[in-house]
Amino acid sequence: MPRFLHTADWQIGRQYDRFGPEDGPALAQARLTTVERIAALATELAVDAVLVAGDVFDAQTISDRTVRRLFMALQGFGGPWVMLPGNHDAALAESIWSRARRLNAIPDNVHVLLTAEPLLLAEQGLAILPAPLTQRQTFSDLTDWFDHAPTPLHLLRIGLAHGSVQGILAEDIDSPNPIDPQRAAHARLDYLALGDWHGCRQIDDRTWYSGTPEQDRFKSNGAGQVLDVQIDAPGAAPQVKPVAMGEFTWLQWQRRLQVASDLDALIEELEQIERSSVISLTLEGELDLAGEQRLQAALGRAEARHRVLECQLDGMRLLPTEADIAALQVDGYLDEVVGQLRDMQQADEPEVAREALAILAGLLRERQAGGAAV
């Protein structure tokens, strides 16, 4: 029973500059360590091969050091790795693949499929039909030749391609390179392993996108997995099992805080996230000073626990209650300032007023505790 892992869109070398010098490099490194976990899984499951359906690298200009590091990350699995050029690492006349060969970085058990011709892995029971991209975008279906390609009858016919299944995926996906939705049937494929869609998605019984094994976008589309595929014999139905693989989960939340129980629920949600994550949190609503203090404490804990916490508070208003103001013991000029800041939150710069009010409240608390004078 041939068994293989289907993965794609590793995009090694991708940069995350938006997250700054501390978190960006850690996210880039996670893509390499995830490859190491794929190699370990392949060995643990004793699969016959690992198929990578394009975009191994994020760009043609990746450094030599990163190229070498990628191929070193494969060492945990000694069986065949089958790699397809995608739109980010297309097989140009001069490409990252030709540079990798000059560096002598590609191990003997790695098959880089740069041309449209079958790769026969007889010992593993697989005949791989690849559709490598030789430029970033094409307007014809590079899988057409699968229909008429002869392969030994006793080997599984496995297609390997990178692009967009027509009429099913959104038109604005990363690579518009077209793929016939009936390709598996027309070409008598036992399985069609696809890349480019960064989420895990089944097209039909024999056609799957594995998605990227390390999530890189705020989308709930099954990213962060590889596919464990078993097929009993030519013509048999594939048995496909998604396996979680990624290091970081990306979460995008929008929450409205109106009453104390809303804040309680948000804090509980943040505390219950078990894995280190990349979190984008947008809040709107209103809080009193006590609620603001609790929120900031919860965000501080979450920021320490997770890889990234982005928090948008533009839609939040800080509304001190009469009890809040009384507790701050403000009078005279400071009382007027607090009132002006409360009013400003209804005007043109609510975020500035909110931050100023929170800072002032903090300073007043420090004064009460014996800190600096206001």
Side-chain angles (χ1 to χ4, degrees):
M1 177 191 298
R3 183 179 192 180
F4 56 87
L5 296 183
H6 166 200
T7 180
D9 299 289
W10 292 355
Q11 302 204 240
I12 300 302
R14 180 170 184 177
Q15 299 301 302
Y16 297 87
D17 295 338
R18 63 172 282 194
F19 296 119
E22 181 176 351
D23 296 315
L27 293 172
Q29 175 62 33
R31 307 197 77 78
L32 278 167
T33 55
T34 294
V35 172
E36 294 174 349
R37 287 197 296 276
I38 293 172
L41 177 67
T43 295
E44 175 188 342
L45 299 180
V47 301
D48 295 294
V50 179
L51 311 185
V52 190
D55 283 357
V56 174
F57 297 100
D58 188 56
Q60 301 284 359
T61 54
I62 299 305
S63 70
D64 290 352
R65 178 173 182 262
T66 299
V67 171
R68 289 191 174 98
R69 290 182 70 197
L70 177 277
F71 288 110
M72 291 176 65
L74 309 180
Q75 293 176 351
F77 175 60
W81 295 83
V82 182
M83 296 186 172
L84 184 81
N87 59 303
H88 281 259
D89 53 7
L92 310 174
E94 175 58 31
S95 71
I96 194 166
W97 301 107
S98 54
R99 181 153 53 93
R101 291 199 183 283
R102 285 198 302 274
L103 293 171
N104 197 30
I106 304 177
D108 292 339
N109 63 324
V110 176
H111 305 270
V112 180
L113 306 186
L114 303 179
T115 57
E117 56 184 309
L119 170 69
L120 302 182
L121 299 175
E123 184 177 342
Q124 289 76 25
L126 305 173
I128 311 296
L129 304 178
L133 288 170
T134 56
Q135 56 190 33
R136 189 174 178 88
Q137 292 187 5
T138 63
F139 299 98
S140 60
D141 186 346
L142 299 181
T143 67
D144 278 344
W145 75 275
F146 293 0
D147 293 4
H148 309 291
T151 58
L153 295 179
H154 66 286
L155 301 182
L156 299 179
R157 285 171 65 86
I158 308 296
L160 192 61
H162 190 89
S164 171
V165 174
Q166 296 298 283
I168 295 178
L169 297 186
E171 294 181 358
D172 60 349
I173 69 166
D174 193 26
S175 171
N177 305 299
I179 297 172
D180 186 338
Q182 299 300 316
R183 181 60 62 209
H186 293 164
R188 307 172 311 285
L189 299 178
D190 293 293
Y191 187 83
L192 177 53
L194 298 178
D196 187 58
W197 181 254
H198 280 215
C200 179
R201 182 162 182 174
Q202 180 180 9
I203 303 301
D204 59 36
D205 289 345
R206 299 183 183 275
T207 305
W208 286 74
Y209 284 93
S210 65
T212 178
E214 183 62 39
Q215 190 172 354
D216 56 3
R217 302 174 186 180
F218 291 112
K219 290 185 177 181
S220 300
N221 58 4
Q225 304 183 104
V226 298
L227 298 179
D228 174 13
V229 184
Q230 298 184 64
I231 307 176
D232 290 342
Q239 303 169 43
V240 183
K241 178 184 177 183
V243 181
M245 191 56 52
E247 182 172 350
F248 299 114
T249 301
W250 290 49
L251 303 172
Q252 189 171 44
W253 291 357
Q254 292 182 316
R255 300 291 185 268
R256 184 170 184 83
L257 307 180
Q258 287 295 112
V259 295
S261 59
D262 294 337
L263 178 58
D264 293 338
L266 173 63
I267 293 174
E268 184 176 1
E269 278 187 297
L270 288 171
E271 296 291 342
Q272 288 182 347
I273 301 173
E274 296 181 356
R275 299 175 55 196
S276 181
S277 302
V278 178
I279 304 172
S280 175
L281 178 61
T282 300
L283 297 179
E284 59 181 19
E286 56 190 46
L287 287 174
D288 59 18
L289 291 183
E292 167 73 9
Q293 193 172 21
R294 291 183 62 215
L295 173 63
Q296 292 303 326
L299 293 178
R301 292 192 299 271
E303 186 177 33
R305 290 177 54 226
H306 295 286
R307 184 70 264 170
V308 174
L309 175 64
E310 293 183 329
C311 194
Q312 300 296 326
L313 300 175
D314 295 359
M316 286 296 302
R317 292 186 301 163
L318 187 56
L319 299 180
T321 64
E322 295 302 324
D324 287 331
I325 296 173
L328 291 175
Q329 301 177 13
V330 296
D331 53 22
Y333 173 71
L334 284 179
D335 189 27
E336 294 179 10
V337 171
V338 170
Q340 290 173 0
L341 291 174
R342 292 172 70 183
D343 294 340
M344 284 176 60
Q345 290 186 102
Q346 313 293 335
D348 295 336
E349 295 183 297
E351 178 64 13
V352 173
R354 180 186 182 282
E355 290 183 5
L357 190 54
I359 291 170
L360 178 58
L363 291 173
L364 290 168
R365 291 192 191 98
E366 288 182 11
R367 183 181 69 174
Q368 294 172 9
V374 178

